[in-house]
Amino acid sequence: MGRLVALSLLGIALALLGERLLALRNRLKASREVESVDLPNCHLIKGIEAGADDIDILPNGLAFLSVGLKCPGLHSFSPDKPGGILMMDLKKENPRALELRISRGFNLASFNPHGISTFIDNDDTVYLFVVNHPEFKNTVEIFKFEEEDNSLLHLKTIRHELFPSVNDIIAVGPAHFYATNDHYFSDPFLKYLETYLNLHWANVVYYSPNEVKVVAEGFDAANGINISPDKKYIYVADILAHEIHVLERHPNMNLTQLKVLKLDTLVDNLSIDPSSGDILVGCHPNGQKLFIYDPNNPPSSEVLRIQNILSEKPTVTTVYANNGSVLQGSSVASVYDRKLLIGTLYHRALFCEL
């Protein structure tokens, strides 16, 4: 009798593990292939060889690029080189990517930038917020951009127990922001278990010098975050659920869910087209290829444009798609004056004239 019970429990456990594995493959879109959608006037950006995970562009055309991200278990083309922040002036005819100098006292050797966001204060001071993973820990760094000498002055490092696995950030004040946690746990094994079991414990946190609080939760893996042009709504990409959540802001900075847009791809970072308010999404058509890197079968890239997301039927258009022959693992797309930048998690970056 005891053997029968043990055998039954083993069978149940194996069935549960098999079901979870199949569900994970579906969440990763492990069987999906992408058909190429090309843009005619594109070239790879010189000097970016190991990813430009996130991009933010100022109204004057200065683009900031977060480069060199490294994550446990994730492929890297430059594992021993620290990350950095690059800048491109998109007003120039042939813009080049230049690395910004960072002020003394900041630990450059462990700089591992992830999501970024800019904020322009009333006195025109430009602040750059950077999610950083020094030694795979979680901090948010606040810099002041010194345009006259193309440098960043480090102002503050923020650590908090509500930031166990910070992914992306959207600044809403000189020391105020919303940030996504893509996992509830910080330990790599517990993160894997959380993902495997599909616990939906990821969240969004609001930070100010006076208050830090969870303002939205229940995400599979909260990833990219941005804000609507009128500042009324926050957009959050849930990468493994293939969804973009529209959340309404309240005066106390809390968020309530307004709607969810379901897509057929893994949605990463979100950018806003300043000329239209459309959302540009860097996507991963096949997450399994992204996380289990094979140079002979590399991860593909996909960029979507979402128009009228608040309407009953938003329009979703594929702007760019590639099977990995040119660009592997697209994570972000940002546009300025018909110039498009496409960044990747750990590969190259593309500049296109639309």
Side-chain angles (χ1 to χ4, degrees), residues 60-82:
N60 65 2
L62 293 180
F64 297 91
L65 299 89
S66 164
V67 301
L69 174 66
K70 297 162 193 66
C71 298
L74 197 67
H75 182 73
S76 174
F77 285 102
S78 185
D80 300 321
K81 183 181 178 182

Side-chain angles (χ1 to χ4, degrees), residues 12 19 22 26 50 90 104 122 192 243 275 284 304 336 352:
I12 293 171
E19 187 274 333
L22 181 60
N26 290 335
L90 299 183
R104 292 181 181 179
N122 294 331
Y192 175 78
E243 297 171 344
S275 66
H284 308 288
L304 301 181
Y336 174 84
C352 302

Side-chain angles (χ1 to χ4, degrees), residues 119 170-172 178 226-235 246-251 253 255 258 272-279 308-311:
F119 180 80
I170 180 67
V172 293
Y178 292 94
N226 217 309
I227 192 167
S228 62
D230 60 11
K231 314 300 182 188
K232 292 181 179 179
Y233 305 100
I234 294 291
Y235 307 134
V246 180
L247 306 163
E248 187 175 2
R249 293 180 73 198
H250 300 286
M253 298 302 165
L255 304 174
L258 186 66
I272 308 300
D273 184 339
S275 66
S276 63
D278 296 348
I279 302 173
N308 303 315
I309 193 168
L310 295 175
S311 67

Side-chain angles (χ1 to χ4, degrees), residues 98-151:
L98 304 173
E99 185 163 6
L100 295 178
R101 183 173 56 83
I102 297 178
S103 59
R104 292 181 181 179
F106 182 75
N107 189 345
L108 294 172
S110 65
F111 193 31
N112 191 13
H114 199 166
I116 61 174
S117 179
T118 56
F119 180 80
I120 304 174
D121 211 348
N122 294 331
D123 62 359
D124 292 329
T125 299
V126 176
Y127 297 95
L128 178 68
F129 293 67
V130 181
V131 174
N132 186 21
H133 302 295
E135 300 175 349
F136 301 131
K137 295 180 173 64
N138 293 271
T139 68
V140 173
E141 313 291 348
I142 302 180
F143 300 91
K144 178 183 176 184
F145 174 51
E146 306 279 4
E147 186 172 358
E148 60 275 7
D149 58 358
N150 289 336
S151 67

Side-chain angles (χ1 to χ4, degrees), residues 123-340:
D123 62 359
D124 292 329
T125 299
V126 176
Y127 297 95
L128 178 68
F129 293 67
V130 181
V131 174
N132 186 21
H133 302 295
E135 300 175 349
F136 301 131
K137 295 180 173 64
N138 293 271
T139 68
V140 173
E141 313 291 348
I142 302 180
F143 300 91
K144 178 183 176 184
F145 174 51
E146 306 279 4
E147 186 172 358
E148 60 275 7
D149 58 358
N150 289 336
S151 67
L152 295 172
L153 175 65
H154 184 245
L155 301 178
K156 188 176 184 180
T157 296
I158 297 171
R159 300 178 181 86
H160 197 277
E161 61 182 8
L162 290 181
F163 295 146
S165 186
V166 192
N167 186 297
D168 197 17
I169 189 169
I170 180 67
V172 293
H176 311 68
F177 58 85
Y178 292 94
T180 56
N181 284 303
D182 52 30
H183 291 81
Y184 178 82
F185 297 107
S186 57
D187 178 80
F189 174 74
L190 293 177
K191 281 185 175 185
Y192 175 78
L193 197 62
E194 180 184 345
T195 299
Y196 188 79
L197 295 176
N198 195 12
L199 296 179
H200 283 255
W201 287 357
N203 59 32
V204 177
V205 173
Y206 172 73
Y207 177 92
S208 75
N210 301 319
E211 184 180 32
V212 187
K213 58 184 177 180
V214 175
V215 291
E217 53 192 341
F219 300 96
D220 189 344
N223 200 293
I225 187 169
N226 217 309
I227 192 167
S228 62
D230 60 11
K231 314 300 182 188
K232 292 181 179 179
Y233 305 100
I234 294 291
Y235 307 134
V236 176
D238 192 338
I239 186 168
L240 290 178
H242 325 127
E243 297 171 344
I244 296 178
H245 294 245
V246 180
L247 306 163
E248 187 175 2
R249 293 180 73 198
H250 300 286
N252 62 0
M253 298 302 165
N254 287 342
L255 304 174
T256 54
Q257 184 162 285
L258 186 66
K259 67 176 297 184
V260 178
L261 177 65
K262 295 186 178 296
L263 298 165
D264 189 38
T265 188
L266 280 72
V267 286
D268 202 325
N269 288 315
L270 309 174
S271 298
I272 308 300
D273 184 339
S275 66
S276 63
D278 296 348
I279 302 173
L280 290 172
V281 193
C283 304
H284 308 288
N286 186 320
Q288 181 165 294
K289 291 184 181 183
L290 183 75
F291 295 117
I292 305 174
Y293 186 76
D294 179 357
N296 298 313
N297 189 21
S300 47
S301 292
E302 185 176 37
V303 174
L304 301 181
R305 177 183 288 271
I306 300 170
Q307 297 170 282
N308 303 315
I309 193 168
L310 295 175
S311 67
E312 289 188 10
K313 292 184 178 181
T315 301
V316 181
T317 307
T318 301
V319 175
Y320 175 83
N322 180 262
N323 62 6
S325 59
V326 176
L327 205 63
Q328 302 175 12
S330 56
S331 57
V332 64
S334 294
V335 67
Y336 174 84
D337 193 26
R338 301 193 60 77
K339 295 177 180 178
L340 176 69

Side-chain angles (χ1 to χ4, degrees), residues 23-43:
L24 180 60
R25 281 183 52 84
N26 290 335
R27 287 153 66 208
L28 290 172
K29 296 286 182 181
S31 300
R32 186 175 179 227
E33 300 293 337
V34 67
E35 295 185 9
S36 291
V37 176
D38 296 321
L39 292 171
N41 302 308
C42 298
H43 66 264

